[in-house]
Structure formats: structure tokens, C-alpha cells
Amino acid sequence: QVQLVESGGGLVQAGGSLRLSCVASGRAFSNRVMGWFRQAPGKERDFVAAITWTTGVTSYADSVKGRFTISRDNAKKTVYLQMNSLKPDDTAVYYCAADVAGRTSYLGRYTYSAYDDWGRGTQVTVSS
């Protein structure tokens, strides 16, 4: 099992920026994928971005392309989500997730059920 702790959320005005961090600990997870999802009140948990630990290959939801950037620091076992040009529609709880079993390779990294371990989330609120 991988333990994940998110931080960096907060309240920001539209057009502003935030950087989320997710620190991972526990079981080794080389050659796996880390993802960010978000969930707004009354809505499903949606894919935001993902990155492969070893290769750095990234994926993004269409709604955040060009505004958000996912990155990782392998030495610190930390994944980041830089969020720029934030919109009120970006308001949600943001969750970090780890694919330890490799299910993203056949379920796809956009799929919620492909991830094994989850953080508790960090709230992002964007005011208009």
C-alpha cells in the first residue's frame, strides 16, 4: 500500500494559480502511474492529470490542457499539480492517486478504478 498526502489547496480568485503537492510513502511503486482527480459537490470524481514515475509521460483532461501541469520529483517521492488560469469550475476537492498494480496499462489512466491508493484530498476553491 502507498500512503499519499496532498497539500497546497486553498482559496484563490479566478485567473490565479495554485500548486498542489502529493507526497508518497510506503510500498515501492516504480514503473507506475500517479494521477490527480477532482470531485465537486454532487458530482463524480473526474480525472485531471497523470504521470508515469519513470518516464515522465503525462496525460491531461481536455478541460485543463494548457492550464495545468503535472510533474514529479522522484527523489522526494512527490507529485505536483501546477494550476494556472484557474476558473470557478475548477472548484473541487483534489485527490492524488497511485496505480500500484499496473491497472492503468489496460484500464487507462483516465479511469478511477485503475488506481489502488488515494489521498484524503485537498480543497481548491476558485472565486469569481
Side-chain angles (χ1 to χ4, degrees), residues 8-10 12 15-20 36 38 48 64 67-70 80-86 90 94 122-126:
V12 64
S17 299
L18 284 174
R19 189 177 80 156
L20 306 183
W36 285 98
R38 65 187 182 186
V48 176
V64 306
R67 300 189 298 123
F68 291 10
T69 302
I70 188 171
Y80 304 99
L81 186 67
Q82 178 66 44
M83 305 186 295
N84 299 328
S85 302
L86 283 162
D90 295 317
Y94 283 70
T122 185
Q123 176 71 46
V124 171
T125 303
V126 184

Side-chain angles (χ1 to χ4, degrees), residues 35-75:
W36 285 98
F37 286 73
R38 65 187 182 186
Q39 187 168 18
K43 295 188 177 181
E44 295 183 348
R45 193 169 295 188
D46 292 330
F47 172 79
V48 176
I51 188 167
T52 305
W53 272 111
T54 52
T55 64
V57 172
T58 59
S59 304
Y60 296 94
D62 288 342
S63 59
V64 306
K65 279 181 183 177
R67 300 189 298 123
F68 291 10
T69 302
I70 188 171
S71 62
R72 91 283 192 216
D73 184 326
N74 287 6

Side-chain angles (χ1 to χ4, degrees), residues 75-117:
K76 294 182 178 179
K77 293 185 178 179
T78 301
V79 177
Y80 304 99
L81 186 67
Q82 178 66 44
M83 305 186 295
N84 299 328
S85 302
L86 283 162
K87 306 174 182 179
D89 285 349
D90 295 317
T91 295
V93 177
Y94 283 70
Y95 296 91
C96 179
D99 166 26
V100 178
R103 287 198 293 269
T104 55
S105 63
Y106 54 91
L107 293 179
R109 51 180 59 193
Y110 304 89
T111 306
Y112 170 89
S113 59
Y115 294 82
D116 306 279
D117 297 300

